[in-house]
Amino acid sequence: MSYTAPVKDMLFDIEHLANIEQIAQIPGFEDAGLDTAQAVLEECAKFNEGVLAPLNFEGDKNPSSWKDGVVTTTPGFKDAFRQYAEGGWQGLQHPTDFGGQGLPKTIGAACGEMLNSANMSFALCPLLTDGAIEALLTAGSDALKATYLEKLVTGEWTGTMNLTEPQAGSDLALVRTRAESQPDGSYKIFGTKIFITYGEHDMAANIVHLVLARVQGAPEGVKGISLFVVPKFMVNADGSLGARNDAHCVSIEHKLGIKASPTAVLQFGDHGGAVGYLVGEENRGLEYMFIMMNAARYAVGVQGIAIAERAYQKAVGYAKDRVQSRPVDGSIAASAPIIHHPDVRRMLMTMRAYTEGCRAMATVAASAYDAAHHHPDADVRKQNATFYEFMVPLVKGYSTEMSLEVTSLGVQVHGGMGFIEETGAAQYYRDAKILTIYEGTTAIQANDLVGRKTARDGGQTAKALAVQIEKTEAELLANGSDAAKAVARRLTAARQAFLDVVGFVAGGTKSSPNAVFAGSVPYLMLAGNLVAGWQLARSLLVAQELLHKGQDAAFMQAKITTAQFYAEHILVKAPGLRDSIVEGAASVTELALEAF
Amino acid sequence: MSYTAPVKDMLFDIEHLANIEQIAQIPGFEDAGLDTAQAVLEECAKFNEGVLAPLNFEGDKNPSSWKDGVVTTTPGFKDAFRQYAEGGWQGLQHPTDFGGQGLPKTIGAACGEMLNSANMSFALCPLLTDGAIEALLTAGSDALKATYLEKLVTGEWTGTMNLTEPQAGSDLALVRTRAESQPDGSYKIFGTKIFITYGEHDMAANIVHLVLARVQGAPEGVKGISLFVVPKFMVNADGSLGARNDAHCVSIEHKLGIKASPTAVLQFGDHGGAVGYLVGEENRGLEYMFIMMNAARYAVGVQGIAIAERAYQKAVGYAKDRVQSRPVDGSIAASAPIIHHPDVRRMLMTMRAYTEGCRAMATVAASAYDAAHHHPDADVRKQNATFYEFMVPLVKGYSTEMSLEVTSLGVQVHGGMGFIEETGAAQYYRDAKILTIYEGTTAIQANDLVGRKTARDGGQTAKALAVQIEKTEAELLANGSDAAKAVARRLTAARQAFLDVVGFVAGGTKSSPNAVFAGSVPYLMLAGNLVAGWQLARSLLVAQELLHKGQDAAFMQAKITTAQFYAEHILVKAPGLRDSIVEGAASVTELALEAF
């Protein structure tokens, strides 16, 4: 088996950290308790392990290809997508009104991780479709919803996000694609979009492009951007497909990784204008796009966890199998599997601790999302929304940055074999590199964390988080085990470092923007590190309690050790980051431009 | 220009940190002063910038290919190698007796960096040839020297190192290739070697394989390994080429990077036995191989610096060119080149500081090598040899690990364009990953640092190094500038962290091997970080002095800022590493094997 879904660890997080039974008390989620979670995860594991995981390497060897405007995906992808749709997986978290299953994100996120572990290139198609669904649900007219939503939710059609243009990447103010209003209420769209994931493919009957463009006469900058639905094929009144729209794929990119996922250059309107339909109101496109993007950013964070998990599993497999050199402690008198060597252990533990820590963080964030959107009490909704919003840049930024380190270690564990493409470890290293870039680079996430999430409320949300963490420290000290005390010590130091930085950021964003933004990514890394470490600290407490009750000793013991490793080898970086941010800002921007 | 050799920075290090004028006082190096260094570096820059750098991307697109035992290199490589040989570059550091130029390593290392920045895949051929030359110089008989050395030194032939077998990577005790002695004093070699860099190619008339094998009846393990010369073509008494030897390339690997460099599987003796000649004495092969490996390890460290430099230059070019978003400080009222954004600065400064720090460390190590091998005073030789030996794992391990981070940042600076292969940034990311693996993985370097370089002398060499560093701290404090004080503070903390770890390692390697080796790589990273930071601290002192004298203010100011950035953003990691090593060892190896 090339991938075994970590169902047990996921269920541990869902039950004990995200408190699924509390989610199940929210109206609409009554059936979404632990039993449902377990049943869904096990079914999901079966599908991903059996159908998608075996196609992952194949996708790298035989990527999507382009010819005369037509994109042919990797052999097997089309059939796998049919199975994916038939299994109802696309609709997992979407409303039952439109053919979905209406499950909470707390469960959906775990399924998303499996999908991405199994086959990240494949998973991008559903990921983008989710974004299109979110945007239509939030801002689409009833007519647009009626025409598009069910087809998207059931996986009959797929969706895309069209933001980037050659001159407009992180800076959407520079978008030039234009929309001309037509007498019938539709628009004609003209322009070029690049980096469009699954912008063209052969896996579904239609593709629903969500496109940012400027209506003639709109204000300059981001306040003049509107959002449009532009279908690949026009849709007749009865829902059947009509004429081909004037939106064409003129090429796909030759990329470092995720090669099976076609990254399209789309040309809109070269033959008279692509027909588009306004989503919501004119000039509010960026706002709607942020809805898609926030969902997508969380999902990309999960991709980081997913690829880290797969890289970890592969490395463990090799380390148990590869025999080389005697253990330094003399415990085996002959050459032994390399997992007996302390540095191989260190690498595997690093991979494991990062992955479990980020999974715990993402799962808790997902449960906050569910409460934020569905809890009957407005105050609870607001509190959870604030927490979730704070988490999004951490889940996206930290989980993807850690995935670079984890996939690199995955190659390293394999030694020379890791560098050979047939081994497969290198693919994860290549695939992961996109994660810190798309849906907003790590710097963009850090800007969000600094500006909207920290400075705007004077650091209140961040400080409230620190108060929560302090409570966990007290519980660890009360627990009193060696592991708990070791973790408490590092958690306290990291939280204090975090609070110093929060004060620096909240106090200086307006007065000393260069100094604050010089430390924005280190701040994100510190915050993500802290929150993931905090969740592992909570895990340790749960595991010790269950261990005392005699439940699954091996699993609980491993959880305790992993939490301690995280604290002593990863969380321990926090004070150094604090020093760099708070005391080292000047040297970041001091060098004269000409000196570069 | 795709690459501009950093001649000025190299000469700064050579003059002020490595004290080339002292090297020039050593007999044999009288002509190797600063003027020579400058002339050689400028000539070398011209060749590498003009001939080899433009072939680098081509090598990635059109890698070496194998057909029926014949390897065809990338178009242009063969001619470039002819020019390389004609320019005398292969012989730069080798004895004049055999056609070399006899220049010190202090100069040669800088040339090696340029070669590898320009084209790492190409550079591997000369790198391996250097290793073969070293081994023959040290242990070869006069007959072997007479037959092979001049051809290798002049670049007419090339050399290889044949260590690895499918079951024997890091663990050479497992080598199975066997050698049968023949009545004429030669041997017949039988076996399979893998991962043989330039094991077959079309750039030179002959290939001289240096092969580890076991003579029949030899002891088991590493004490029964001998070293043999196995030429691709037999060499007649008059030096002309004779029959094809029974050493054949049966395939080359499909790799993550350095694609133009053919990585061969070599089959020895499938057709009756490959003719081999013993180098030195039987069963001392590993010892000789270590000579080659030590030279090669240093050279691989330089490869890390080289690829980091190239990635840095590419990222700077893009950051100055790409216009996106307004600067946060409002200094420009429109979208500006991204180099104006603090986080882009942070990334570029990180790349620059790592690269300059490791270059300084490597240059100083090279000057110690020169004194260790050529100084007339035996005590000076010994002292320098000890220092150089301590430096080799740091130069190799730290410079290559940092190159992973630097090349990853290089992609990141390019945003989405970085992920597109045509951009070229991704190639460095892929190429760099081999550097932490071959010629001994980082863990193998760390074992060397812990065992042979630290524990064996009870930490004496390490502590002597710390005394040197403490002197620099005193000079920084005496200097008293803000930058000097800031650097002194971090250097002191890092040195103290280092000393704690040295005590832990020296005291525990025998009694608690698992605990010590659990921290071996973090120890290496701490030590490398410290030494590179120390050399930048020395650079700062020199730069401030020269600044006062009015010399090249822009360069000196940049050097000061880079040193301060290094201290505040890289050196600052040292105390956290200390905590992980000294206080976190148990959690590394505690997890039950079954829990993975």
Side-chain angles (χ1 to χ4, degrees), chain A residues 302-574:
Chain A
V302 171
Q303 293 191 304
I305 299 162
I307 200 150
E309 173 67 33
R310 183 115 189 224
Y312 168 73
Q313 291 190 15
K314 190 164 188 72
V316 165
Y318 188 79
K320 286 182 170 179
D321 192 52
R322 171 72 169 172
V323 171
Q324 203 78 174
S325 300
R326 297 180 186 193
V328 287
D329 63 1
S331 56
I332 300 175
S335 294
I338 61 172
I339 198 166
H340 288 280
H341 302 318
D343 189 64
V344 173
R345 284 294 181 98
R346 185 190 61 81
M347 291 193 279
L348 295 177
M349 286 302 296
T350 304
M351 299 172 80
R352 178 187 182 107
Y354 266 128
T355 307
E356 290 191 13
C358 287
R359 178 182 296 130
M361 170 168 71
T363 308
V364 168
S367 68
Y369 175 95
D370 290 325
H373 284 75
H374 300 284
H375 200 280
D377 183 327
D379 282 347
V380 174
R381 284 204 303 276
K382 185 156 180 240
Q383 198 181 340
N384 278 282
T386 304
F387 176 81
Y388 179 73
E389 289 295 318
F390 194 85
M391 285 299 110
V392 170
L394 308 192
V395 171
K396 203 288 186 181
Y398 185 67
S399 305
T400 61
E401 289 286 343
M402 77 87 185
S403 80
L404 301 186
E405 187 172 339
V406 169
T407 54
S408 177
L409 287 172
V411 175
Q412 190 73 18
V413 169
H414 287 79
M417 288 307 296
F419 203 66
I420 307 300
E421 286 288 3
E422 281 74 7
T423 304
Q427 184 186 348
Y428 309 138
Y429 182 66
R430 289 186 286 99
D431 284 355
K433 192 70 199 84
I434 193 60
L435 301 178
T436 58
I437 296 173
Y438 65 16
E439 302 302 339
T441 63
T442 306
I444 296 292
Q445 307 303 321
N447 286 351
D448 181 45
L449 179 66
V450 165
R452 277 182 290 270
K453 310 296 166 64
T454 304
R456 185 179 283 176
D457 74 355
Q460 286 310 308
T461 305
K463 287 175 196 163
L465 184 69
V467 170
Q468 293 290 106
I469 294 170
E470 203 173 352
K471 285 181 191 158
T472 302
E473 291 162 33
E475 292 175 52
L476 289 162
L477 292 175
N479 174 292
S481 73
D482 286 350
K485 283 190 291 184
V487 171
R489 182 177 165 204
R490 304 298 173 189
L491 193 58
T492 301
R495 174 180 51 79
Q496 286 166 345
F498 172 74
L499 281 173
D500 279 2
V501 172
V502 168
F504 178 77
V505 167
T509 302
K510 280 202 176 155
S511 56
S512 318
N514 280 340
V516 167
F517 284 96
S520 60
V521 167
Y523 169 38
L524 184 153
M525 295 302 286
L526 198 175
N529 189 342
L530 173 64
V531 173
W534 171 40
Q535 293 307 326
L536 285 184
R538 290 184 62 211
S539 304
L540 178 148
L541 289 167
V542 171
Q544 287 204 325
E545 196 186 322
L546 296 176
L547 196 59
H548 285 305
K549 291 184 187 165
Q551 278 186 36
D552 205 348
F555 179 85
M556 298 308 161
Q557 199 57 63
K559 188 56 99 178
I560 293 165
T561 299
T562 304
Q564 185 172 349
F565 180 92
Y566 187 99
E568 294 178 336
H569 296 267
I570 300 173
L571 201 47
V572 72
K573 296 176 184 178

Side-chain angles (χ1 to χ4, degrees), chain A residues 169 324-325 412 436 490 583, chain B residues 169 171 324 412 436 490 583:
Chain A
Q324 203 78 174
S325 300
Q412 190 73 18
T436 58
R490 304 298 173 189
E583 297 169 4
Chain B
D171 187 0
Q324 203 78 173
Q412 191 73 17
T436 58
R490 305 298 173 189
E583 297 168 7

Side-chain angles (χ1 to χ4, degrees), chain B residues 178-190:
Chain B
R178 62 196 169 81
E180 294 179 1
S181 66
Q182 304 297 308
D184 68 352
S186 72
Y187 291 75
K188 284 203 167 175
I189 312 287
F190 302 88

Side-chain angles (χ1 to χ4, degrees), chain B residues 208-236:
Chain B
V208 183
H209 303 297
L210 283 258
V211 182
L212 287 187
R214 292 182 185 284
V215 177
Q216 62 271 53
E220 289 210 356
V222 294
K223 288 176 182 164
I225 297 175
S226 303
L227 181 65
F228 298 89
V229 163
V230 183
K232 175 180 170 185
F233 287 101
M234 304 304 296
V235 182
N236 299 320

